[in-house]
């Protein structure tokens, strides 16, 4: 029965604490073969007056946004063609990599490229997997199926996809895409 105790400065809200509880439980499960119900996580909050580093009282850093929700909001904005909303989620040096295409660095390039492949595409999400890399990047894997309409008007559905995102400081700076569109289309 693992017990994890975390000491943080005051200022994190219930949602951030929930995310900490879930992440710490999952971190233990990566190493210890324990049922989640057997893992106890305790968060102890300190007032700034009860904490110092280098002899100076400190404040806690603001919490990072939920990377999975950032990616979901970006994808929803793209699907709705709310380009300015989608662009707000991107880092300055954003790059995206799609099967059979050269790297693209802006959303307009993606839209132009997609016009040659299909009329529209929608995603059904099966899951978002979020993890911290060994560097500053937070990785988000989004998986599910694609549906939409080919250029000739025929519909398609249940095409597998996986998108991999890298975020730094809450901004998406890389997207890699894998899907079975070419294989499905070749079979028509």
């Amino acid at each position: 029965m693992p017990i994890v105790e975390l000491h943080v400065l005051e200022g994190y809200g219930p949602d951030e604490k929930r995310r900490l509880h879930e992440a710490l439980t999952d971190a233990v499960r990566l190493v210890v073969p324990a049922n989640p119900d057997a893992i106890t996580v305790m968060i102890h909050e300190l007032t700034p007056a009860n904490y110092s580093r280098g002899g100076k009282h400190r404040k806690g850093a603001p919490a990072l946004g939920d990377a999975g929700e950032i990616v979901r909001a970006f994808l929803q904005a793209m699907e709705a063609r709310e380009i300015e909303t989608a662009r707000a989620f991107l880092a300055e040096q954003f790059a995206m990599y799609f099967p059979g295409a050269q790297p693209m660095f802006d959303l307009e390039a993606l839209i132009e490229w997609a016009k040659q492949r299909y009329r529209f595409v929608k995603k059904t999400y099966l899951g978002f997997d979020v993890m911290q890399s060994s560097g500053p990047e937070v990785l988000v894997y989004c998986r599910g199926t694609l549906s939409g309409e080919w250029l000739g008007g025929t519909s398609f559905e249940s095409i597998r996809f996986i998108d991999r995102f890298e975020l730094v400081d809450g901004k998406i700076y890389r997207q890699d895409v894998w899907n079975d569109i070419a294989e499905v289309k070749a079979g028509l």
Side-chain angles (χ1 to χ4, degrees):
M1 178 163 77
I3 299 172
V4 177
E5 291 191 53
L6 175 66
H7 297 265
V8 296
L9 288 170
E10 289 179 334
Y12 296 105
D15 185 56
E16 288 84 12
K17 290 177 191 170
R18 176 195 53 77
R19 290 172 47 211
L20 280 168
H21 281 282
E22 291 172 359
L24 291 169
T25 299
D26 289 344
V28 169
R29 293 179 64 213
L30 286 171
V31 179
V32 178
N35 185 303
D37 291 337
I39 301 169
T40 301
V41 176
M42 293 182 274
I43 297 176
H44 304 280
E45 290 185 293
L46 300 168
T47 64
N50 291 331
Y51 173 83
S52 69
R53 188 178 39 182
K56 295 180 180 176
H57 295 292
R58 310 287 177 145
K59 289 174 40 175
L64 295 171
D66 182 322
E69 290 304 316
I70 290 169
V71 166
R72 181 187 301 270
F74 166 73
L75 291 171
Q76 289 172 337
M78 284 300 296
E79 189 172 300
R81 289 299 186 250
E82 296 169 354
I83 302 306
E84 290 309 311
T85 299
R87 194 182 328 277
F89 292 104
L90 305 180
E92 258 186 57
Q93 297 173 351
F94 173 68
M96 56 193 135
Y97 302 85
F98 280 73
Q102 294 296 314
M104 292 175 261
F105 304 100
D106 60 62
L107 301 178
E108 290 76 14
L110 170 61
I111 291 167
E112 282 303 312
W113 175 78
K115 284 180 182 178
Q116 305 305 312
R117 298 175 61 88
Y118 42 73
R119 286 186 181 172
F120 71 90
V121 67
K122 294 186 179 288
K123 293 184 175 188
T124 299
Y125 305 111
L126 298 177
F128 288 79
D129 302 311
V130 180
M131 63 205 75
Q132 180 63 50
S133 72
S134 59
E137 306 86 9
V138 175
L139 308 177
V140 178
Y141 286 84
C142 169
R143 54 196 159 69
T145 59
L146 303 172
S147 61
E149 191 174 287
W150 299 117
L151 293 176
T154 307
S155 63
F156 61 85
E157 62 182 14
S158 300
I159 297 177
R160 299 179 307 163
F161 80 89
I162 294 177
D163 291 352
R164 178 186 180 273
F165 293 86
E166 295 180 15
L167 289 78
V168 174
D169 296 328
K171 295 287 189 180
I172 300 168
Y173 81 91
R174 182 179 176 121
Q175 177 184 6
D176 292 284
V177 174
W178 295 274
N179 61 53
D180 293 334
I181 280 184
E183 290 76 8
V184 170
K185 192 170 185 181
L188 294 178

